[in-house]
Amino acid sequence: MQVILLHPRFNRAKSITLGARHITLMIVVFLLAVLLATGLLYFLTARYAVGLPFAGKAAGDAVAGVQDKDKYLKENLAAMAIKLGEMQAQLMRLDALGERVQGLAGVKPEEFNFKEAPGRGGAESSSLYDRRSHDMSMSEFQLALDAMSRDVGFRTDYLNVVETVLMSDRIKSKLLPTNQPVSVNYNSSSFGWRLDPFTGRSAFHEGLDFPASVGTNIVAAAAGVVIAAEYHPQYGNMLDIDHGNDIITRYAHASRLFVKVGDIVQRGQHIADIGTTGRSTGPHLHFEVRIKGVAQDPRKFLNAGTDLAKMATLAGK
């Protein structure tokens, strides 16, 4: 390549001949200059961003965006960790409550084990657009966590109510005179009309007579409070126990009494011994159940107790 140079100071035109080597050298110099300028600009932008308003703003915005996102994630993770801890505590209470309710309801532990997670499964999600599986977002996970927390609270409240009802029923059943007071297989005189053994006339018998030898244990038919422990001309040595709800049981003709007025007795507790005191033809227990002062047939309660015992035995097998 030949370059001709013209200038007023020159007496004549000058020419310069450029070979391939010169052209290659010029291209290399040009590329080096571009790279040097680019590196210098990058260095100035990164290190002296304050001096370049547009670069400083862009870099600041980028850093602030990263910091805000990091802060948002940390705050959400902290909130979810607190919620998760609360739910774990709620689940522990729920498990304990469930086991108590299970015991009160008579459900076998192996039939409903609160210590093991229930099995789950199913087919894969449908290919339809609105049913296609996808990764949960942070907001979706937070909503699911809140919904589960509310559900755990509702179930805890519900089980508390169930436990209260079952406990009330259990207490009431223990206060009903369903436990036979003497361990004998028959009674010598039933509730209702009979011939009086002393007069031979028709008379109404207000209880059951259980014959047994003197000294045989008499136990409380239900838990309650002793309201009478005295000698009665007709009943002999007599005990009255108040079981609440206007229900009273009477134990008559005893040889010995082992409790006194005001004592709290438990169901099945030894309270007296069989005798033949008062208006009696031989050793036996005269047992009465009274509701609001009116004598009831004790067999209705004792038979109910036998049925409940059978049901409990069957449930335990």
Side-chain angles (χ1 to χ4, degrees):
M1 174 185 289
Q2 188 174 20
V3 179
I4 298 175
L5 300 177
L6 297 175
H7 196 273
R9 294 182 181 181
F10 296 158
N11 296 325
R12 59 179 180 176
K14 294 183 178 182
S15 63
I16 300 175
T17 303
L18 298 178
R21 186 178 61 179
H22 295 91
I23 295 173
T24 302
L25 183 61
M26 291 175 62
I27 292 173
V28 170
V29 171
F30 175 75
L31 291 176
L32 287 175
V34 171
L35 290 175
L36 182 61
T38 303
L40 182 61
L41 181 62
Y42 177 80
F43 175 76
L44 292 175
T45 302
R47 185 163 184 176
Y48 303 101
V50 176
L52 301 175
F54 64 93
K57 185 175 185 304
D61 291 344
V63 172
V66 172
Q67 291 177 344
D68 290 344
K69 186 175 181 179
D70 187 58
K71 181 180 179 182
Y72 172 77
L73 289 175
K74 287 182 178 179
E75 289 177 351
N76 275 272
L77 286 175
M80 285 189 289
I82 294 173
K83 179 67 71 174
L84 185 61
E86 293 175 353
M87 289 181 61
Q88 287 175 338
Q90 286 180 317
L91 286 174
M92 291 178 64
R93 288 197 299 268
L94 190 60
D95 285 345
L97 180 59
E99 289 179 353
R100 291 201 303 270
V101 172
Q102 181 185 61
L104 289 172
V107 179
K108 295 180 181 179
E110 58 269 20
E111 291 181 1
F112 202 94
N113 191 350
F114 283 88
K115 300 299 183 183
E116 296 181 0
R120 299 187 299 171
E124 293 185 2
S125 300
S126 171
S127 59
L128 296 177
Y129 179 77
D130 59 343
R131 297 182 182 178
R132 191 177 303 163
S133 62
H134 63 281
D135 294 332
M136 293 185 69
S137 64
M138 185 71 73
S139 59
E140 288 176 330
F141 183 73
Q142 183 68 51
L143 290 174
L145 200 62
D146 292 340
M148 186 178 293
S149 178
R150 288 193 299 270
D151 288 343
V152 170
F154 293 154
R155 281 158 175 75
T156 301
D157 293 340
Y158 175 75
L159 278 181
N160 276 320
V161 173
V162 174
E163 182 191 28
T164 301
V165 174
L166 288 174
M167 184 66 73
S168 177
D169 291 342
R170 178 65 63 87
I171 292 173
K172 288 179 181 178
S173 67
K174 289 189 175 183
L175 295 177
L176 290 176
T178 56
N179 186 53
Q180 187 157 310
V182 183
S183 182
V184 295
N185 296 324
Y186 70 100
N187 59 80
S188 57
S189 186
S190 299
F191 178 87
W193 291 96
R194 68 169 185 175
L195 293 176
D196 188 287
F198 290 95
T199 65
R201 300 177 64 184
S202 180
F204 194 86
H205 187 231
E206 295 186 332
L208 297 178
D209 289 342
F210 295 98
S213 59
V214 174
T216 301
N217 289 353
I218 300 173
V219 299
V225 180
V226 178
I227 58 174
E230 59 193 19
Y231 182 85
H232 189 279
Q234 297 192 40
Y235 288 111
N237 291 325
M238 177 192 78
L239 281 175
D240 282 354
I241 299 178
D242 188 349
H243 305 287
N245 296 317
D246 297 317
I247 300 175
I248 293 174
T249 53
R250 176 166 293 171
Y251 311 79
H253 307 305
S255 60
R256 296 175 64 190
L257 304 178
F258 296 104
V259 292
K260 62 184 184 299
V261 174
D263 284 352
I264 298 174
V265 298
Q266 303 299 320
R267 182 186 183 87
Q269 180 179 332
H270 183 197
I271 55 176
D273 286 342
I274 281 184
T276 182
T277 57
R279 192 170 182 265
S280 171
T281 61
H284 72 284
L285 166 67
H286 173 80
F287 176 64
E288 294 182 5
V289 177
R290 294 179 174 270
I291 299 179
K292 294 184 178 181
V294 179
Q296 308 290 324
D297 188 349
R299 288 175 297 192
K300 294 187 297 184
F301 296 92
L302 300 180
N303 291 340
T306 303
D307 293 340
L308 288 174
K310 290 180 179 177
M311 291 174 63
T313 302
L314 291 174
K317 290 183 178 179

